[in-house]
Amino acid sequence: MDVARLAGVSPAVVSFVLNQTPGQTISHETRERVLHAVAELGYRPNRAAQGFRRGTSATIAFINHDADFGEFAAAAIKGAHETSNRHGSLLLLVSTGGSNRQAEELIADLLDRQTDALIFSAVGTKAVTVPEAAHRVPTILLNCYTAKDDFPAVLPDEERGGREATQALLDLGHREIAFLTGRASQWATKARLRGFRDALQAAGLNPADSTVRAGNYHADSGYDLTKELVRSGALPTAIMCGNDRMAVGAMLALFEAGIRVPEDVSVMGYDDQFQLAAEVRPALSTVRLPYDVMGQLAAEQLVDEVPRTRRTMVHCPVILRASTAAPSRTAGR
């Protein structure tokens, strides 16, 4: 073996060093000679052979349980990849296309290939059905959960995000805040709305006095709902939106009505969507969905073998930009 010959040791010693074999005492000097020889020769160990001996494959599967990949899935994948790679594991990426049957087939195939662990991910926080076979290896749910909570999950703390976004507007001096939510039935919508109401109540305001209208997480609903607010003649001094796309629709409706943002009405989004929130004018204040951090945490819980809690809630920080300011008028027009 070239590495053993160059280092002046036996092939067994090289194997002990590269495989970090427990119970084998190798001097620091010998270990350094082996590693220097490995670097000089550009040697790469046979991962498949190592995995066969250890009964592992040093691989983590990232299962995207949606019809396609979006920017938020890409951020989660990047975070999981960086953490896995740092710990010497390869991240395998597969997609179920949103099909439960495909999920079963993929997980069975991954386990046949000795995949060590699974990250089961969805876009748009929701309840999912995870095949029973996933219990055979460490499995973390990312941005999703099961009805029985029988798998640990990493989730965005949407309630805190809604509360802190509302508090940011309250701190600017706003007391008339409308909330144009996303789809009323969705987990994130309900959590953000709870946070919104909690912040108002903590400030001594009656949440029932605030306007809340459900949209669809698209720009058209932000536009239409804001047009309704303008026509009502009781325009608030600030509008919170279900996401950044709805916020862009809201700003367009305000501009068409000759209402300035933020001079007349402040607008707050949610998501901090890449190539949108920071690039519209005025730049959008929003709440950042930390999918990259969530991906990192999911992978860390697998590779570090840290205790896994039922639900790990990840902070969604408020990002203040130019679309919000102190109110210059009282509510109404």
Side-chain angles (χ1 to χ4, degrees):
M1 183 180 183
D2 292 341
V3 172
R5 188 178 304 111
L6 182 59
V9 298
S10 70
V13 170
V14 173
S15 176
F16 294 154
V17 171
L18 295 183
N19 293 314
Q20 301 178 30
T21 306
Q24 298 296 327
T25 302
I26 306 295
S27 71
H28 176 74
E29 179 186 357
T30 300
R31 186 181 302 276
E32 287 299 308
R33 287 209 317 273
V34 171
L35 294 178
H36 179 77
V38 166
E40 185 173 335
L41 294 172
Y43 172 75
R44 292 179 63 85
N46 186 321
R47 294 289 189 186
Q50 288 181 338
F52 180 78
R53 287 193 297 271
R54 298 175 183 173
T56 64
S57 60
T59 56
I60 297 173
F62 189 106
I63 303 168
N64 180 57
H65 191 49
D66 272 289
D68 53 28
F69 293 91
E71 65 175 85
F72 297 116
I77 292 165
K78 180 176 182 291
H81 163 71
E82 290 174 349
T83 298
S84 301
N85 187 59
R86 189 166 62 249
H87 288 80
S89 292
L90 181 68
L91 191 73
L92 302 178
L93 179 60
V94 297
S95 177
T96 69
S99 164
N100 289 335
R101 180 169 183 175
Q102 181 72 358
E104 290 183 7
E105 294 174 355
L106 278 172
I107 288 177
D109 191 16
L110 289 166
L111 296 181
D112 285 346
R113 296 169 187 266
Q114 291 190 316
T115 300
D116 295 332
L118 308 174
I119 298 174
F120 195 90
S121 174
V123 176
T125 315
K126 58 190 174 186
V128 294
T129 300
V130 180
E132 186 66 25
H135 283 289
R136 289 166 48 191
V137 294
T139 297
I140 297 283
L141 306 190
L142 178 59
N143 202 42
C144 55
Y145 56 93
T146 59
K148 296 180 180 179
D149 273 334
D150 51 343
F151 290 94
V154 177
L155 301 165
D157 194 343
E158 303 282 19
E159 186 168 335
R160 181 179 175 185
R163 183 169 60 251
E164 292 186 354
T166 308
Q167 188 61 52
L169 294 172
L170 291 167
D171 290 344
L172 288 170
H174 294 280
R175 292 299 178 268
E176 295 287 338
I177 306 170
F179 192 4
L180 310 182
T181 75
R183 294 184 180 89
S185 62
Q186 292 197 343
W187 184 86
T189 299
K190 295 175 181 177
R192 294 170 190 176
L193 186 55
R194 287 195 301 272
F196 171 73
R197 289 171 171 158
D198 285 349
L200 293 178
Q201 191 165 22
L205 302 173
N206 185 355
D209 293 337
S210 294
T211 299
V212 176
R213 298 284 185 273
N216 62 11
Y217 283 124
H218 294 288
D220 61 342
S221 67
Y223 176 87
D224 292 340
L225 292 172
T226 303
K227 294 284 280 188
E228 292 177 12
L229 289 177
V230 172
R231 286 194 297 266
S232 73
L235 196 65
T237 63
I239 300 174
M240 276 183 55
C241 295
N243 67 357
D244 295 340
R245 286 177 292 178
M246 287 185 67
V248 169
M251 289 198 295
L252 179 58
L254 293 171
F255 295 154
E256 286 184 356
I259 299 168
R260 300 169 300 168
V261 177
E263 293 84 354
D264 300 320
V265 176
S266 288
V267 176
M268 175 78 72
Y270 207 109
D271 288 353
D272 196 24
Q273 188 168 346
F274 180 64
Q275 292 186 333
L276 176 64
E279 297 187 15
V280 296
R281 290 295 178 267
L284 186 62
S285 292
T286 187
V287 180
R288 183 172 182 270
L289 275 178
Y291 279 115
D292 53 343
V293 176
M294 292 165 60
Q296 292 169 10
L297 288 174
E300 283 173 1
Q301 290 191 29
L302 294 174
V303 297
D304 284 345
E305 297 183 352
V306 298
R308 292 184 284 275
T309 58
R310 184 174 66 90
R311 290 188 179 183
T312 301
M313 308 303 291
V314 183
H315 181 221
C316 304
V318 175
I319 310 295
L320 291 179
R321 297 193 179 103
S323 70
T324 52
S328 60
R329 62 176 180 84
T330 57
R333 279 180 63 87

